Amino acid sequence: EMIVRKFYDSKHPLILVGEGALEAGIQEKIIEFLEKLKVPFGISPIAKNIVDEYNSLYLGVARAVGQTQKIYEYMRKSDFILFLGDRMQEWEMNWYDQSLVEKAVLAQIDPDWDEIGRVFPIDYSAVGSISSAINVFPSDVHSNSRQLEQEVEDLNKKFPRAKRSADGNGINPLNVNNIVEELAANDATIVCDTGYAKSMAIMKFRTKLSQNF
């Protein structure tokens, strides 16, 4: 209940959904939950396929080099961050960049007790399934939702999503991501290589709800 209260008292909340949220039937519940609250959210690289990546309040995947990502810019001015099954892996927290969380009240909900406060000190926490935790939240839109929607819209203008990138001595890998995203069937399963290709696919490729990544 304290987490819920602090969430609704905040002015610039952020929800980060992570691998700890993975459980049977969670996708529909998470999507409904985020649509109900209407606040900005992002995901861990391991949590793709849980959220709607086409939602207007979606800030993207937290993955390295925070200076170039809108999710980190918003995160640095957040006054409340809810880690919803997110476990703050080093590659998503910009290698444990303290500036990402120093202005925020931190809350963490995870089914694994050992994950609570493992990386950053947590102000409020709860242990249990993510589906049971989100059931505690009332069906109230956050009071600052309109301003938050505008802030995300401004960030989208600052960090526009390019349809095509410039090719050098060969095809730019980002172009492959964009082409596959546009042409892949609604029931497609997306498989990628490791290393740089995986990182770019995680960050740049948006999956539809009916696709698997």
Side-chain angles (χ1 to χ4, degrees), residues 88-107:
M88 309 176 216
Q89 305 290 353
E90 62 270 23
W91 54 82
E92 62 182 284
M93 299 304 293
N94 199 27
W95 306 103
Y96 304 135
D97 183 353
Q98 187 68 34
S99 72
L100 294 176
V101 300
E102 62 186 2
K103 295 180 180 179
V105 171
L106 304 185

Side-chain angles (χ1 to χ4, degrees), residues 166-178:
D167 288 322
N169 297 323
I171 299 176
N172 189 309
L174 295 181
N175 288 340
V176 176
N177 283 331
N178 291 332

